[in-house]
Amino acid sequence: MTVEAEPATAGPVARAGRPSWLVVADREIRDLWLGGRALILLFAYSVVLSVTTYLTATNEALNFLEQRESVALTLQVAVAIGVLLTLLAAADAFSGERERGTLESLLLAPISRRSLALGKGIAALSLWFAAFVISVPYLWYLGRGVGVVRTSLLNGLLVGSLLALTMVALGLLISTFAGSNRISLSVSVFTLLALFAPTQMPSSAQRGWFGDLLQRTDPFTAGLRYLGKVIINARTFAQEGHWLLGPAIVAGVLLVLAIAVAGRLRLGGRE
């Protein structure tokens, strides 16, 4: 985003009469969507969902429980890739401006650094909600015969929103200090893979107090486990909602931290 430096009393924010973070969010969303980046990412997202849905829907030998597992698998893929898009957008927020040489003019604009972070975070978050809308017809098609469409959509939106907030905050944190966009994206993707790793551990490695603690504090492990239980095992939020306590706490802490450290945003990243 390019913002021309103007006196604070006559700046665009003052003229618009809107909060500065809302002005930033509006411009970032326009850049993201009208510039075509969001459309390319969502096209790739829809291709992955189409392949996953085709592979699960063409297996006519599935029984009732396996159909629920197919819905849960597709929803977990939709959530995982959808929040990945938000991480990629957030990781580009400030490091991308540095590389394009537009961060200096942005910092000179009459907008606080924390408002910049908040506006850019909202723009990145818009990718998740668009991805969720795209996933609706896939989940409806797979889940219509086993009565889990409503459950899948409501819980998928809840879990995906928590994970998307976490990824946006993480991306903003890394981008605030990264000296280049390449470093920011590399560290973000590595961190994402590290968070996914516990979901692939065998059940024997998840026993004991440490294994249980890891499952509950790792947002991806806890969130995807919750989705599996409410869709496959037909459990309720009252019975399994405790799995979302860890992701909610992690998302809240990271968001507060990301907005707080945005006040230390510098032209050179780690200066």
Side-chain angles (χ1 to χ4, degrees):
M1 183 184 79
T2 303
V3 177
E4 298 297 335
E6 297 181 30
T9 55
V13 177
R15 289 201 303 269
R18 294 187 295 170
S20 54
W21 60 267
L22 191 57
V23 175
V24 175
D26 180 48
R27 292 191 178 189
E28 287 293 331
I29 289 174
R30 288 172 184 268
D31 285 350
L32 186 63
W33 289 91
L34 298 181
R37 280 192 300 152
L39 298 178
I40 293 173
L41 291 172
L42 289 176
F43 174 74
Y45 172 82
S46 63
V47 169
V48 174
L49 270 192
S50 298
V51 171
T52 304
T53 303
Y54 176 79
L55 291 176
T56 55
T58 52
N59 188 349
E60 298 179 354
L62 293 177
N63 58 37
F64 183 80
L65 180 59
E66 289 170 335
Q67 275 189 271
R68 282 177 169 264
E69 291 177 346
S70 298
V71 176
L73 172 64
T74 303
L75 178 59
Q76 290 173 349
V77 170
V79 169
I81 299 179
V83 300
L84 169 64
L85 302 183
T86 65
L87 176 63
L88 294 177
D92 177 75
F94 299 122
S95 56
E97 299 280 3
R98 286 192 184 95
E99 285 202 349
R100 293 188 287 271
T102 54
L103 184 59
E104 184 174 6
S105 59
L106 199 59
L107 293 178
L108 292 174
I111 302 172
S112 73
R113 287 163 168 73
R114 292 190 174 92
S115 294
L116 285 175
L118 185 57
K120 284 177 173 289
I122 291 172
L125 200 59
S126 69
L127 279 170
W128 154 246
F129 291 109
F132 178 75
V133 171
I134 290 175
S135 72
V136 170
Y138 296 94
L139 296 171
W140 171 82
Y141 180 77
L142 289 173
R144 71 191 191 287
V146 288
V148 292
V149 175
R150 184 172 179 271
T151 300
S152 301
L153 294 178
L154 291 178
N155 288 286
L157 180 61
L158 173 62
V159 173
S161 298
L162 282 176
L163 295 180
L165 285 172
T166 304
M167 291 299 101
V168 167
L170 181 64
L172 289 175
L173 270 172
I174 295 171
S175 188
T176 297
F177 297 107
S180 70
N181 210 25
R182 185 178 59 181
I183 293 176
S184 179
L185 292 174
S186 299
V187 174
S188 297
V189 172
F190 176 81
T191 306
L192 180 67
L193 293 176
L195 292 173
F196 262 118
T199 66
Q200 304 302 315
M201 289 182 179
S203 57
S204 59
Q206 299 176 3
R207 294 170 185 163
W209 69 269
F210 183 75
D212 185 62
L213 179 65
L214 183 63
Q215 291 181 66
R216 292 180 182 279
T217 55
D218 178 65
F220 281 97
T221 304
L224 297 184
R225 180 171 288 260
Y226 169 80
L227 288 178
K229 286 183 177 294
V230 296
I231 296 173
I232 298 173
N233 304 121
R235 307 282 284 182
T236 65
F237 178 83
Q239 293 171 311
E240 303 296 338
H242 56 89
W243 282 102
L244 300 184
L245 184 60
I249 293 174
V250 172
V253 170
L254 284 178
L255 281 173
V256 171
L257 191 60
I259 298 300
V261 302
R264 300 180 59 187
L265 179 65
R266 299 291 183 270
L267 187 60
R270 290 173 295 179
E271 288 181 1

